[in-house]
Amino acid sequence: MSRKASDHDYNLRSMTNLMGDRWKKVSDDGERSLIKAASSSSSISSQAAAASSSSSSSARAARKQFQQDVTPAFVYVLAAFSALGGFLFGYDTGVVSGAMLLLKREMRLSALWQELLVSSAVAAAALSAQAGGFLNGLFGRRVCILLASFLFSAGGVVLSAAPNRETLLVGRLVVGLGLGIGSMTVPVYIAETSPTQLRGQLVTVNTLFITAGQLVASIIDGAFSYLQHNGWRYMLGLSVVPAVLQFLGFLFLPESPRWLIQKGLTQKARRVLSQIRGNQNIDEEYDSIKNSIEEEEKDCGGEGPVIWRMLTYPPARRALIVGCGLQMFQQLSGINTVMYYSATILQMSGIRDDKLAIWLVAVTAFTNFLFTLLGVWLVERVGRRRLTLGSIVGTSLSLCLLAVGFLLSAQHSPPVTLHPSGTSNATCTTYLSCEPCMLDPGCGFCYRENSTAVFASSCEPINGASTDRAAWGRCSNTTVMRDHTYWAYNFCPTSYYWIVLLGLVLYLACFAPGMGPMPWTVNSEIYPLWARSTGNACSAGVNWTFNILVSLTFLHLAQYLTYYGAFFLYSSLAMLGFIFIYGCLPETKGRRLEEVESLFEGNLCSCGASDSDEGRQVEYIRVKGSNYHLSDNDGSDVE
Ligand SMILES: O[C@H]1[C@H](O)[C@@H](O)[C@H](O)[C@@H](O)[C@H]1O
C-alpha cells in the first residue's frame, strides 16, 4: 500500500513534467503535493487535472498513511538523544537553587558569591551560544552536540568534587558553555532530521525535556535537601548521567543531512537521508535541499561574515528579528521569575514549612511540564502562530491576575504592632506594616497568628548568616517557632493568597504550551540553511541574555515597583509581545525548511493582515531553478 502511494506521487509528477519544466506544489493542510497545472494549459494538463482532482483526496489519505507507516523509529531515537540536551538545560538551570540552600551554609557563601554561582552559568551560556553558531557552521551539528555533552559531563564532575567556591565557579562556567552550545544546536539538529509533518512536535519535545529537567531537578533538590552535609554534591553531580548518555549516543548518531549537503558531502548525505526516511523516496527532499542551497549561494547577500549577510539580506534580516523578538518576549513574560518565585508564592498561601515549600515547587515544575506536553500535542494541530498568540494573551492576563493578588495582599498588609527599641538595625523597626518590611531585603516579619488574625507582629532585621531567622528576639531560632509565632521573609501573611495561587497555575497553563516551546521551535525553522546556525546562535543568545537580565533585576524591580508593579510590568510586556507576534510571526507549519524563507519575502509586520488567508492555497512554481509563488487567481503562465 505504501509503495502504491509513492507510485501515485510519481504518476502525478510525470504528468506535470509533460507540461514542460513547470510543476506546482500546493500547501495543503500541512502536506505538500505535486498537482495539476493551471486550467489554461493544454489537454494533457486538463487530463492531469481531472486525474489529480478525482483522486486527490484518496492520494492524500494514502500519502498520510504512507508517511505515518514509514516514519522510522530511528527519527525518534535521534530526537530523544538530542533532547537530552534540553533535559540538561532544564536540570542545570533548575537544580542550582536547591543546591544553593545547602552550599551557602556549608561554604559560608556571601550574597555576592551566591549570585555569582547562579548567574555565571547563564552568562557563559549567553556567550557560548554565539560561539556555537560559528562552531555549528564549521564542524556540524553532531560535533557541537558532542562538545556540549562533554562540557556538561566535565562541569558536573568538577561541581560534584569541588573543594572550594572558586572551583564551583569554574564548574558552573563550564556547564554554562555547554548550555549555550547545546541550547542552540539541538533544536536545529532535530528540525533538520525530522520529516516535515513531525518537525514541530519533535522540536517541541526538546522544550518538553527542558521542563522535565526542571521537574527532576526540583525532585532531586527536595530529596537531597535532607542530606545537610554534601547533599549539594549529588544535586550538582547527577547531571553527569544524562550527559554521558548523550555523549555516547552521539558517537553513533549521524550528522544532519542538510549540513552534509551544504559541505558538499553528498554521498554521505544521501546515506543519512535514506537512514532517517526509511523506505520513503528521498530524491525529492534531496533535490529540494540541494537546489535551495544552490539558490541561496546566489541570493544570500554576497560576501562577508554570515551575520552581516543576514543583516543586509531582507528575508534573513526579517527572520532574525522575528526569532530574536520571540526569545526576548519569552523571557520578558517572566517565566523564570515566576518559577523562582513560586516557593514564596506558596509560602504566602500559608505553607511555612521550608521543606514542604521545596516539594511544592516540584508541583509547579510538574504543571509546567504537563502543559508543555499539551504544546507538543497542539503544535501540529493548531500551528505555531495560533498557539503562540493564544498562549501570550493568556500569559498576559494571568500575570495581571497575579499582580491583582499581590496588590490586594499589599493593600491588606497586616500592621506592625510591636516596635522593639534599642536594636542595631533601626530601619526595620520603623516600618508600620508588613509590606514595606517584606520589600526591604534586610528585614523580615515576625508575628503570631490565630485562626482569624495576625497579632503581636514586629519587623526585625535578618540574621547575617541566613534569611530563615531573625537576628534576635522571638524569631531568631527557626522559621516556625513555638506558640504559633512565625517568621516571614520575602512574603506577608495574607488571605488573598488564593488569587496569587490561581494566577500562578493559570500562568503556567497558558505559558507552557506556547510561549515556552514555540520560540525554540520557530527559530529552528525560519532561517535559510546558510543562516541557520548564526540565526539560532543569535536568538539563543538573546534568550539567555534576557533570562539573566530579568532574573537579576526582579528583586530590585520588586523593591521599587512592589511585587504587583513588577507583575503588571511583565503583563504589559507580554501584551507588547502579542502585538509583535500578531504582526510578524508567519505560520511555518507543514512547510519544508527550504520553503520557509519565502514567508519572509514581504514586509516584516504584515502577518496579521493575512490571517484571514491562512487556509488559502499558495502555489509554488519552480521555473528554471527559481521559486516564485503566485496567488490563487494569478493564472499567468511562467516558462
Ligand atoms: O522554553 C524554556 C522553558 O519554558 C523553561 O521553563 C524556561 O525556564 C526557559 O527559560 C525557557 O527558555
Side-chain angles (χ1 to χ4, degrees), residues 193-267:
T193 50
S194 306
T196 306
Q197 78 280 5
L198 280 180
R199 189 182 64 230
Q201 259 174 0
L202 293 179
V203 182
T204 307
V205 162
N206 183 49
T207 314
L208 182 71
F209 272 50
I210 298 181
T211 56
Q214 290 171 330
L215 171 62
V216 172
S218 61
I219 295 173
I220 297 281
D221 275 357
F224 285 98
S225 64
Y226 298 96
L227 201 62
Q228 292 291 320
H229 185 61
N230 282 343
W232 58 270
R233 292 191 191 276
Y234 297 99
M235 296 176 182
L236 297 173
L238 275 173
S239 64
V240 174
V241 178
V244 169
L245 193 67
Q246 190 187 43
F247 186 85
L248 293 178
F250 264 85
L251 288 178
F252 303 99
L253 292 173
E255 180 49 85
S256 149
R258 284 172 166 80
W259 185 85
L260 289 171
I261 298 176
Q262 194 189 29
K263 294 290 163 191
L265 301 166
T266 49
Q267 285 313 312

Side-chain angles (χ1 to χ4, degrees), residues 89 207 210-211 214 330-331 335-336 339 368 511 515-517 520 543 547:
F89 171 160
T207 314
I210 298 181
T211 56
Q214 290 171 330
Q330 181 199 65
Q331 293 300 318
I335 176 64
N336 290 309
M339 295 278 282
N368 193 16
F511 179 91
M515 277 311 282
W520 297 106
N543 181 290
N547 182 332

Side-chain angles (χ1 to χ4, degrees), residues 289-446:
I289 302 173
K290 201 153 174 24
N291 287 337
S292 84
I293 289 174
E294 278 162 14
E295 276 159 36
E296 279 170 5
E297 272 163 14
K298 283 184 238 138
D299 289 349
C300 67
E303 295 296 300
V306 181
I307 185 68
W308 174 249
R309 276 152 57 202
M310 285 183 83
L311 292 173
T312 50
Y313 179 58
R317 182 174 62 230
R318 290 179 197 122
L320 187 66
I321 295 173
V322 170
C324 293
L326 274 175
Q327 293 286 25
M328 178 181 84
F329 282 114
Q330 181 199 65
Q331 293 300 318
L332 289 180
S333 309
I335 176 64
N336 290 309
T337 53
V338 171
M339 295 278 282
Y340 162 79
Y341 201 60
S342 61
T344 308
I345 291 174
L346 294 164
Q347 281 179 319
M348 283 174 68
S349 65
I351 301 157
R352 298 182 196 85
D353 181 357
D354 269 359
K355 294 267 174 345
L356 191 58
I358 288 181
W359 282 110
L360 285 168
V361 172
V363 177
T364 314
F366 180 69
T367 317
N368 193 16
F369 170 79
L370 204 66
F371 284 99
T372 310
L373 195 62
L374 179 68
V376 174
W377 186 75
L378 285 175
V379 63
E380 291 297 355
R381 286 174 175 80
V382 300
R384 290 57 159 157
R385 181 175 157 78
R386 277 190 216 152
L387 188 55
T388 316
L389 282 172
S391 163
I392 201 159
V393 172
T395 300
S396 174
L397 293 178
S398 37
L399 280 166
C400 247
L401 189 66
L402 266 171
V404 168
F406 281 116
L407 177 63
L408 287 172
S409 308
Q411 281 175 346
H412 298 88
S413 180
V416 170
T417 53
L418 304 175
H419 296 273
S421 55
T423 58
S424 53
N425 187 332
T427 335
C428 295
T429 53
T430 57
Y431 295 125
L432 299 178
S433 74
C434 178
E435 178 75 5
C437 174
M438 165 195 71
L439 290 173
D440 186 330
C443 314
F445 191 66
C446 184

Side-chain angles (χ1 to χ4, degrees), residues 432-507:
L432 299 178
S433 74
C434 178
E435 178 75 5
C437 174
M438 165 195 71
L439 290 173
D440 186 330
C443 314
F445 191 66
C446 184
Y447 64 101
R448 294 184 67 188
E449 193 177 45
N450 59 25
S451 57
T452 50
V454 165
F455 62 98
S457 54
S458 55
C459 182
E460 292 168 15
I462 53 166
N463 185 299
S466 160
T467 56
D468 58 19
R469 57 184 186 271
W472 39 257
R474 299 172 297 158
C475 284
S476 56
N477 265 337
T478 48
T479 313
V480 185
M481 269 68 51
R482 272 178 291 124
D483 306 329
H484 298 285
T485 303
Y486 302 108
W487 169 247
Y489 181 72
N490 237 348
F491 71 95
C492 286
T494 166
S495 48
Y496 292 95
Y497 66 85
W498 64 271
I499 304 183
V500 181
L501 209 59
L502 183 68
L504 175 73
V505 174
L506 282 180
Y507 175 89

